[in-house]
Amino acid sequence: AENGTQEYSVNNREDIFTMARTAADDYDRLQRMLNKHLIPRDNPFPENRPATVDDIHFLPANLSRLVIDPYREACSTGTVISADFELVSPYLAAGCDDAPDQVRDGLARALAHFGCPYIGVRSLGEQVPWFQLSSINGASPDPQAAGVVYSVGDTFTPFEPARVHDQQLLGIAVHSGELDAAVPFALEAGCDFIVLDATAGVNQPWAELRGDPDLTVLRNAIAVLRRLRCEGEISLIYYGGMRSGTDAAKVLAIGCQAVVFGAALGFAAGGRLVAGRFEFDGDRSVEEREDAIRNFLQASIGEVSMMARCAGKTKIHNLEPEDLRAITLATAEATGVPLIGT
């Protein structure tokens, strides 16, 4: 309510305050309020409206099952990417390879505090687990990288993925159109995870700023795994348009193991959008940027836990598609989440 949502805007809240403070016989003021609400608004759901996670909502647990005690029962946010690699929260970061050093330093400190890995061409430092981003014909894996992510591009071609040592994780980043070939390949190659890239490309700086995320990558990846009867055998990490713990909870419920924050971290670090790109003013110290990103991540950890609790779960990874409903046809079709009322 304080920040406003599509269903309950800040203006709605201010109108309620105004009504509560208006005398019953103040007819002029009452008439002005009425006239304001008689003004028709634009259709919020036009035919060309893209699919968005805003159109996915959680079903409160008390509608279908006995609820947990959200004040006394803990909710685990622990996330397993592979048998040898666990995180305290389901979050990774990406997009800051070309950011100013001051921003990268603040991000590194914040990610290190929560143990969140970074996906990128360049490492943020020894204190942050680094998933080295590489093209199929790119640089050889760095022994210092905790994992290697091969970006396969718009057209998938089989290749020889490599890891320097047994503890190094192996993964690929793939778009929706290449999943039929890429998912079986990842399984056969022994990959630990697949980055479902809903953006213009995880290898591009601030890729989320280049267009709406393609949510079909979630539906299609899970459909391929189910067809192969391999659902749950490889971790799915989603990248594209994540802005909060609530967004993350919805993606986890659909079937992913973790999500990647990109542009949201840029905003948290003080970035301004100028001509579709981030610009960072020099009016903040490294410590201030670190604190801002830490606050964002801490809030997102709390949010994903809250959504799971509301659905009656004590682990965020117990969220499932049955806990969700979509409110638009476009989003229901793009994600496979049932349309409300069906």
Side-chain angles (χ1 to χ4, degrees), residues 40-278:
R41 65 171 180 162
D42 294 334
N43 178 11
F45 302 110
E47 291 185 3
N48 60 347
R49 188 174 189 270
T52 167
V53 291
D54 285 339
D55 298 338
I56 298 175
H57 293 260
F58 284 98
L59 292 175
N62 56 358
L63 292 180
S64 58
R65 64 179 74 87
L66 294 175
V67 298
I68 64 170
D69 185 341
Y71 296 102
R72 294 180 176 85
E73 294 188 58
C75 183
S76 170
T77 59
T79 298
V80 177
I81 302 299
S82 77
D84 300 319
F85 196 88
E86 298 186 20
L87 304 173
V88 297
S89 69
Y91 301 135
L92 295 86
C96 296
D97 284 340
D98 297 331
D101 289 342
Q102 188 186 60
V103 175
R104 285 173 55 84
D105 290 345
L107 175 64
R109 295 184 185 186
L111 295 181
H113 177 77
F114 294 102
C116 298
Y118 177 73
I119 299 176
V121 175
R122 295 197 291 155
S123 170
L124 288 177
E126 294 181 358
Q127 71 274 32
V128 178
W130 174 36
F131 285 7
Q132 180 185 3
L133 186 62
S134 176
S135 63
I136 294 175
N137 299 315
S140 300
D142 190 315
Q144 302 301 316
V148 182
V149 185
Y150 288 95
S151 179
V152 301
D154 294 328
T155 303
F156 178 77
T157 303
F159 63 101
E160 292 291 336
R163 56 179 119 207
V164 178
H165 48 79
D166 292 340
Q167 286 71 42
Q168 194 170 59
L169 301 188
L170 188 62
I172 62 172
V174 62
H175 297 295
S176 182
E178 302 302 315
L179 290 166
D180 284 333
V183 171
F185 172 83
L187 291 167
E188 293 174 6
C191 290
D192 299 288
F193 62 89
I194 300 174
V195 176
L196 303 178
D197 189 358
T199 73
V202 67
N203 57 326
Q204 301 185 36
W206 310 116
E208 295 161 297
L209 303 180
R210 301 171 185 267
D212 295 320
D214 178 13
L215 296 180
T216 62
V217 71
L218 291 164
R219 176 200 66 195
N220 294 344
I222 293 168
V224 173
L225 286 171
R226 286 177 179 170
R227 187 169 68 245
L228 298 173
R229 297 184 180 180
C230 293
E231 191 174 8
E233 292 188 14
I234 190 168
S235 293
L236 301 178
I237 301 174
Y238 174 79
Y239 178 47
M242 294 288 96
R243 305 155 301 173
S244 66
T246 301
D247 285 355
K250 295 172 183 178
V251 170
L252 297 184
I254 292 173
C256 286
Q257 199 71 7
V259 304
V260 182
F261 283 130
L265 298 176
F267 284 116
R272 295 184 299 109
L273 280 184
V274 178
R277 295 181 63 85
F278 273 121

Side-chain angles (χ1 to χ4, degrees), residues 6-7 11 18 25 33 38 40 51 71 97 116-117 161 175 182 189 217 219 230-231 258 263 269 303 330 340:
Q6 287 185 321
E7 295 77 28
N11 287 336
T18 301
D25 57 356
M33 282 194 292
L38 289 176
Y71 296 102
D97 284 340
C116 298
H175 297 295
V217 71
R219 176 200 66 195
C230 293
E231 191 174 8
E303 275 191 14
I340 193 76

Side-chain angles (χ1 to χ4, degrees), residues 255-342:
C256 286
Q257 199 71 7
V259 304
V260 182
F261 283 130
L265 298 176
F267 284 116
R272 295 184 299 109
L273 280 184
V274 178
R277 295 181 63 85
F278 273 121
E279 286 192 2
F280 295 91
D281 296 329
D283 58 346
R284 298 192 186 189
S285 66
V286 172
E287 290 75 18
E288 288 173 325
R289 298 189 198 277
E290 175 193 355
D291 287 343
I293 297 172
R294 282 177 61 164
N295 289 341
F296 170 76
L297 290 173
Q298 186 65 62
S300 296
I301 292 171
E303 275 191 14
V304 72
S305 173
M306 288 166 58
M307 294 303 105
R309 290 168 187 260
C310 288
K313 309 298 173 68
T314 55
K315 294 182 179 179
I316 59 172
H317 294 290
N318 286 345
L319 287 166
E320 52 193 350
E322 287 72 18
D323 295 313
L324 304 173
R325 290 295 184 275
I327 64 170
T328 61
L329 281 170
T331 300
E333 293 173 358
T335 62
V337 173
L339 186 68
I340 193 76
T342 60

